[in-house]
C-alpha cells in the first residue's frame, strides 16, 4: 500500500515537472552558471548523531548500491573529521557545517542557551514574531533562522546569482531544516508530530506550497506506523555488532511493555505521530519529502546550481534511546543506507548521474550508554543537572548569603544571575574561585574554570581552542565544566552527547558526485571546512563568518 501511495504521489509530481518543461526551455536566459564547471544541484546530507566508526563497524552490512558504500567507493572520505568547538549538539553542528564557522561567531551556542540580555532560556530557532503554517495550532512552527548571526553557504549561493538558485531545507527537526537552509531560503519544512504534517512558518510562506499540501494529504506517516518496526537481519547477525537486544539501560520510547524488536507502532486514540521519529521510518519519510521537493521545485533543471539541505533526525532519536551498541542502531543504519541508495538513484534519474554533488556529515556523534560502560568495566557515569543547580545554589547561599545565584546549567556551563551580582556589588572573583573549588570535588568533573579565563587556564591547546570557539558572552555561562570521559548529563536509561571527546566529536565526512575525487584521507579536517570546500567547488564567496579552509584533496582540479 505504501509503495502504491509513493508511486502515485511521485507520478503526480512527475507530471507537474513535465508540464513545465517547455516554459523552462524558454527561460534559457536565466542560466548564469556553466554546468560544465558547476553541479546542477548540491545535496547536503546531515545524519543527526552519527559516529565516524559506524562507517567501518557496519560496512559489511551496507549494500553495494546503498548510499554509504556508494559514497565510500566512488567518492572521497575524510576519515578524521572533527568538531572544532563545544558543545557538540544538534543546532551547533548543523549551523557549523553550513556557515563554516563556530558558535563564538555564528551565535548558535547550543540547542538552547540562557540569554543574559533576555534573562531567559532561548531555543536556537525560536522566533516569536512568526507563526506556524501547515497544521492547526502548530506552536512548534514559530521558528526561523533569525538567531543565526552569519550567512550560510546556501545564502552565499543565492547571492552569487542574484537569488536565482533554489534552496530548500528538510528535516523532522525544525533546527535541522531551518539553520542549514540559511536566511534567504526558498523554504524549510519540518515535521509536526501531533498532526503528522510537514509544516513551515510565516517567515517563509503565509501558507504551505501546494506540493507540500499534496504530500501531507498522502498521509504517509499513518501508513508507515501501521507497518511497525521489524528487523532486517537474523538475530545472530545483530549479535556480531551489538549486545543483547534487551537491556535495562536502554530507553523504552514505544511503551514500558515494548522492550525489544520488533516494535508495534500502532497509534492509540488521539495519539500523534511522535513514535515515528524514533524509527528508521523517519528516514523514509524525510527522503520522500526531499524527492517531492526536487520534482516540485524543479531543482537541478536549469543553468543555476540549486541546493537541497536534508537532515536525517531519526538516528538521533534512536541513538538517544538505545545507544551505539544496540540492535536498534544497527538496524537504523542498515535501513538508512538503503534509503540513501534510493535517494541517489532518484537523483541520477531526475538531475542526472554525475550532474550533482553530495556531501554527508553529522552534527555530532554520541557517547555510549553509561550502563553499558559500567557493564563492561569502562569509565563513565551520570550528572543530574537539576539536582546540581539546587546543590550549587545552596552552597553559594551558605558561603556568600546570595540566594538563587545559579539560573541555568546549560551546555555544560554554570550561568549566574549577572544582574544580581552587579546589584549586590558581589566579589565575582571570590565566587568564581569558590565554584571552581566546589566543582572540582565532584566525581563527574575533570576540570572547571571561569569562562573569562578560557585562554589562560592550564589545559591542552586543542581543548582550549574548542572551549573558546564555543563561547559567546551573552549566550554563554560563567563557569565552564569539563566532564570526565564517559560521563553524561542524563538519567538511568539512554545516552547523549555534547562533550569534546572523540566519541562525541569525531564525525564522518563523505563527498560524492560532480567535481569530487575518489579516495580517502586520515588528515585531520574540521566540520567548519565543509562550507569553504563547497564554496571552492562552486567558485562563490564563502559564508560571512567562515574560518574554515577548502579541503583541496577532495576536489578535482
Amino acid at each position: 500500500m505504501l509503495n502504491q501511495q509513493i508511486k502515485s504521489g511521485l507520478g503526480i509530481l512527475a507530471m507537474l515537472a513535465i508540464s513545465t518543461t517547455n516554459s523552462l526551455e524558454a527561460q534559457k536566459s536565466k542560466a548564469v552558471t556553466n554546468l560544465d564547471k558547476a553541479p546542477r544541484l548540491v545535496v547536503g546530507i546531515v545524519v543527526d548523531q552519527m559516529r565516524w566508526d559506524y562507517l567501518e563497524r557496519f560496512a559489511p552490512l551496507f549494500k553495494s548500491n546503498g548510499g554509504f558504500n556508494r559514497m565510500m567507493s566512488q567518492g572521497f572520505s575524510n576519515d578524521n573529521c572533527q568538531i572544532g568547538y563545544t558543545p557538540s549538539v544538534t543546532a551547533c553542528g548543523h549551523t557549523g557545517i553550513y556557515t563554516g564557522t563556530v558558535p563564538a561567531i555564528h551565535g548558535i551556542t547550543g540547542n538552547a542557551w540562557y540569554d543574559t540580555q533576555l534573562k531567559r532560556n532561548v531555543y536556537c530557532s525560536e522566533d516569536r514574531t512568526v507563526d506556524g503554517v501547515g497544521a492547526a495550532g502548530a506552536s512548534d512552527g514559530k521558528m526561523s533562522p533569525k538567531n543565526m548571526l552569519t550567512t550560510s553557504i546556501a545564502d552565499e549561493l543565492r547571492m552569487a546569482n542574484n537569488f536565482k538558485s533554489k534552496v530548500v531545507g528538510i528535516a523532522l527537526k525544525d533546527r535541522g531544516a531551518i539553520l542549514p537552509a540559511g536566511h534567504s531560503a526558498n523554504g524549510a519544512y519540518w515535521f509536526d508530530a501531533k498532526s503528522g504534517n510537514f509544516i513551515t512558518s510565516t517567515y517563509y510562506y503565509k501558507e504551505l506550497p501546494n506540493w507540500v499540501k499534496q504530500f501531507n494529504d498522502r498521509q504517509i506517516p499513518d501508513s508507515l506506523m501501521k507497518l511497525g518496526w521489524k528487523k532486517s537481519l537474523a538475530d545472530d547477525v545483530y549479535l556480531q555488532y551489538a549486545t543483547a537486544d534487551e537491556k535495562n539501560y536502554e530507553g523504552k520510547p514505544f511503551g514500558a511493555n515494548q522492550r525489544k524488536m520488533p516494535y508495534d507502532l500502532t497509534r492509540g486514540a488521539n495519539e500523534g505521530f511522535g513514535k515515528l521519529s524514533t524509527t528508521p521510518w523517519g528516514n523514509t519519510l524525510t527522503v520522500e519529502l526531499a524527492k517531492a521537493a526536487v520534482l516540485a521545485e524543479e531543482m537541478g533543471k536549469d543553468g543555476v546550481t540549486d541546493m537541497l539541505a536534508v537532515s536525517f533526525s531519526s538516528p538521533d532519536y534512536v541513538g538517544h534511546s538505545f545507544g551505539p551498541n544496540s540492535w536498534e542502531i544497527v538496524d537504523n543504519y542498515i535501513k538508512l543506507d538503503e534509503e540513501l541508495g534510493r535517494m541517489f538513484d532518484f537523483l541520477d534519474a531526475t538531475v542526472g548521474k554525475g550532474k550533482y554533488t553530495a556531501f554527508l556529515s553529522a552534527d555530532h556523534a554520541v557517547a555510549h550508554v553509561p550502563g553499558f560502560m559500567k557493564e563492561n568495566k569502562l569509565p563513565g557515569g551520570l550528572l543530574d543537572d537539576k539536582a546540581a543547580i539546587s546543590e550549587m545554589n545552596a552552597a553559594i547561599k551558605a558561603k556568600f548569603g546570595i540566594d538563587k545565584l545559579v539560573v541555568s546549567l546549560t551546555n555544560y556551563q554554570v550561568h549566574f544571575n549577572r544582574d544580581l551580582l552587579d546589584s549586590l556589588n558581589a566579589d565575582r572573583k571570590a565566587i568564581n574561585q569558590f565554584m571552581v573549588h566546589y566543582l572540582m570535588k565532584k566525581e563527574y568533573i575533570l576540570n572547571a574554570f571561569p569562562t573569562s579565563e578560557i585562554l589562560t587556564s592550564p589545559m591542552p591547546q586543542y581543548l582550549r581552542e574548542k572551549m573558546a570557539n564555543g563561547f559567546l558572552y551573552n549566550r554563554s555561562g560563567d563557569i565552564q565544566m569539563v566532564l570526565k570521559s564517559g560521563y553524561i548529563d542524563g538519567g538511568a536509561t539512554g545516552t547523549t552527547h555534547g562533550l569534546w571527546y572523540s566519541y562525541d566529536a569525531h564525525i564522518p565526512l563523505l563527498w560524492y558526485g560532480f567535481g569530487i575525487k575518489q579516495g580517502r584521507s586520515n588528515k585531520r579536517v574540521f566540520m567548519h571546512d565543509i562550507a569553504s570546500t563547497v564554496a571552492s567547488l562552486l567558485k562563490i564567496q564563502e559564508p560571512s563568518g567562515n574560518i574554515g579552509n577548502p579541503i583541496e584533496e577532495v576536489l578535482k582540479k
Side-chain angles (χ1 to χ4, degrees), residues 375-392:
E375 180 180 69
N376 291 282
K377 301 180 181 180
L378 296 166
L382 297 172
L383 158 65
D384 183 339
D385 54 354
K386 291 183 180 179
I389 291 175
S390 298
E391 292 170 5
M392 289 178 191

Side-chain angles (χ1 to χ4, degrees), residues 112-400:
W113 55 82
Y114 183 82
D115 191 294
T116 58
Q117 293 178 310
L118 298 176
K119 299 180 179 60
R120 65 175 178 84
N121 285 323
V122 172
Y123 178 65
C124 59
S125 50
E126 74 167 56
D127 186 348
R128 297 182 177 183
T129 69
V130 302
D131 293 310
V133 176
S139 59
D140 288 344
K142 298 177 76 67
M143 305 290 172
S144 85
K146 78 167 190 175
N147 291 323
M148 188 168 71
L149 305 179
T150 65
T151 63
S152 75
I153 188 63
D155 291 320
E156 296 298 334
L157 175 61
R158 295 262 291 153
M159 288 190 284
N161 51 50
N162 199 25
F163 301 93
K164 293 182 176 66
S165 289
K166 289 185 178 179
V167 171
V168 176
I170 289 170
L172 298 185
K173 293 183 182 179
D174 56 79
R175 55 188 182 268
I178 292 169
L179 299 172
H183 298 274
S184 62
N186 300 89
Y189 308 97
W190 55 97
F191 189 59
D192 176 58
K194 183 178 180 180
S195 65
N197 285 346
F198 275 92
I199 64 173
T200 189
S201 78
T202 52
Y203 178 87
Y204 304 97
Y205 297 107
K206 292 183 179 179
E207 62 177 294
L208 280 180
N210 285 332
W211 69 267
V212 184
K213 291 179 182 178
Q214 292 171 1
F215 185 89
N216 287 336
D217 287 344
R218 292 160 59 190
Q219 298 182 339
I220 295 176
D222 188 60
S223 299
L224 292 173
M225 290 186 70
K226 289 176 181 177
L227 296 174
W229 182 359
K230 298 178 177 62
K231 291 177 285 189
S232 298
L233 306 170
D235 289 3
D236 61 333
V237 179
Y238 288 98
L239 288 171
Q240 296 177 40
Y241 297 89
T243 56
D245 188 15
E246 185 177 345
K247 288 289 185 178
N248 290 332
Y249 50 71
E250 293 181 349
K252 300 175 182 62
F254 311 116
N257 295 327
Q258 297 205 63
R259 303 174 62 88
K260 62 181 182 178
M261 299 178 72
Y263 293 109
D264 180 4
L265 305 178
T266 303
R267 293 194 300 132
N270 301 317
E271 184 181 0
F273 298 85
K275 292 177 183 177
L276 185 70
S277 297
T278 315
T279 76
W281 290 127
N283 301 326
T284 302
L285 185 64
T286 303
V287 167
E288 289 307 313
L289 186 67
K291 290 157 65 176
V294 169
L295 290 174
E297 298 288 355
E298 298 166 345
M299 303 183 81
K301 290 296 185 182
D302 54 32
V304 181
T305 301
D306 298 319
M307 182 173 289
L308 177 65
V310 183
S311 174
F312 291 97
S313 307
S314 287
D316 187 65
Y317 291 111
V318 175
H320 274 291
S321 292
F322 301 103
N325 260 62
S326 63
W327 289 29
E328 289 82 359
I329 208 69
V330 174
D331 197 72
N332 170 80
Y333 277 94
I334 294 169
K335 292 181 167 75
L336 177 57
D337 175 60
E338 295 172 353
E339 289 295 344
L340 289 171
R342 283 190 280 268
M343 186 171 76
F344 290 145
D345 287 342
F346 167 83
L347 292 172
D348 288 346
T350 55
V351 179
K353 188 174 179 63
K355 301 295 185 182
Y356 62 91
T357 303
F359 66 81
L360 182 149
S361 191
D363 51 352
H364 53 76
V366 69
H368 282 286
V369 180
F372 166 86
M373 300 292 280
K374 182 178 180 180
E375 180 180 69
N376 291 282
K377 301 180 181 180
L378 296 166
L382 297 172
L383 158 65
D384 183 339
D385 54 354
K386 291 183 180 179
I389 291 175
S390 298
E391 292 170 5
M392 289 178 191
N393 275 325
I396 292 171
K397 185 175 182 180
K399 177 68 175 179
F400 298 98

Side-chain angles (χ1 to χ4, degrees), residues 45 97 174 346 388 422 447 476 511:
I45 302 168
I97 287 171
D174 56 79
F346 167 83
D422 290 341
N447 198 1
S476 296
W511 303 86

Side-chain angles (χ1 to χ4, degrees), residues 46 49 89 121 239 301 307 366 485 489 521:
V46 178
Q49 193 189 116
V89 296
N121 285 323
L239 288 171
K301 290 296 185 182
M307 182 173 289
V366 69
S485 174
D489 55 333
S521 171

